[in-house]
Amino acid sequence: MPRSVNSVAKRARRKKVLKQAKGYFGRRKNVWTVAKNAVEKAMQYSYRDRRNKKRTFRALWIARINAGAREYGLSYSQFMGKLKANDIELNRKVLADLAMNNPEAFKAVIEKVK
């Protein structure tokens, strides 16, 4: 009995990976074994960094809130503690946006908690 191989599926798998490798430099974009490794590594980085992005943005928001609060004589932790005590439920993303782009609204929040 002759050997049976599914060339159609094999070609489809390879085309899929090579399409994902589009834009890569050198052999990473057109040589199957190199492209497969490059795409696999890229997927690992993208999975990891979707989680890291959340940490990075939270740190950025905290830095912006801290800078805004210190203009009015409060540290970040004091400000957040007073927000919780006064039952003001604004998240860090919104507070950071106010501190950066709408200082008068941020000042109103500060005055409310003082």
Side-chain angles (χ1 to χ4, degrees):
M1 179 122 190
R3 179 167 163 251
S4 173
V5 289
N6 191 351
S7 297
V8 176
K10 182 163 112 176
R11 168 62 53 199
R13 266 195 308 273
R14 291 183 179 202
K15 272 179 69 174
K16 185 175 86 174
V17 169
L18 288 171
K19 186 178 178 188
Q20 287 176 306
K22 187 176 178 191
Y24 288 6
F25 182 82
R27 290 188 306 163
R28 295 164 73 93
K29 71 174 166 277
N30 55 16
V31 175
W32 160 245
T33 52
V34 182
K36 180 171 63 89
N37 292 335
V39 166
E40 195 173 292
K41 190 67 167 178
M43 293 296 179
Q44 289 173 347
Y45 284 140
S46 67
Y47 178 85
R48 179 197 70 188
D49 290 336
R50 277 194 298 274
R51 280 124 194 96
N52 283 357
K53 185 168 77 170
K54 294 165 184 57
R55 299 176 210 164
T56 307
F57 269 103
R58 186 180 170 99
L60 175 67
W61 297 333
I62 289 171
R64 287 178 174 176
I65 294 167
N66 190 24
R70 284 187 186 274
E71 289 182 15
Y72 302 102
L74 288 172
S75 71
Y76 169 78
S77 61
Q78 290 169 336
F79 176 60
M80 293 307 281
K82 290 183 179 192
L83 276 178
K84 297 281 185 273
N86 287 301
D87 291 326
I88 298 174
E89 293 184 9
L90 291 173
N91 63 20
R92 287 168 182 80
K93 182 177 180 179
V94 170
L95 286 168
D97 187 55
L98 288 177
M100 282 288 292
N101 301 320
N102 203 343
E104 56 277 353
F106 188 74
K107 184 177 182 182
V109 174
I110 293 271
E111 297 301 326
K112 183 98 168 132
V113 299
K114 269 193 173 177

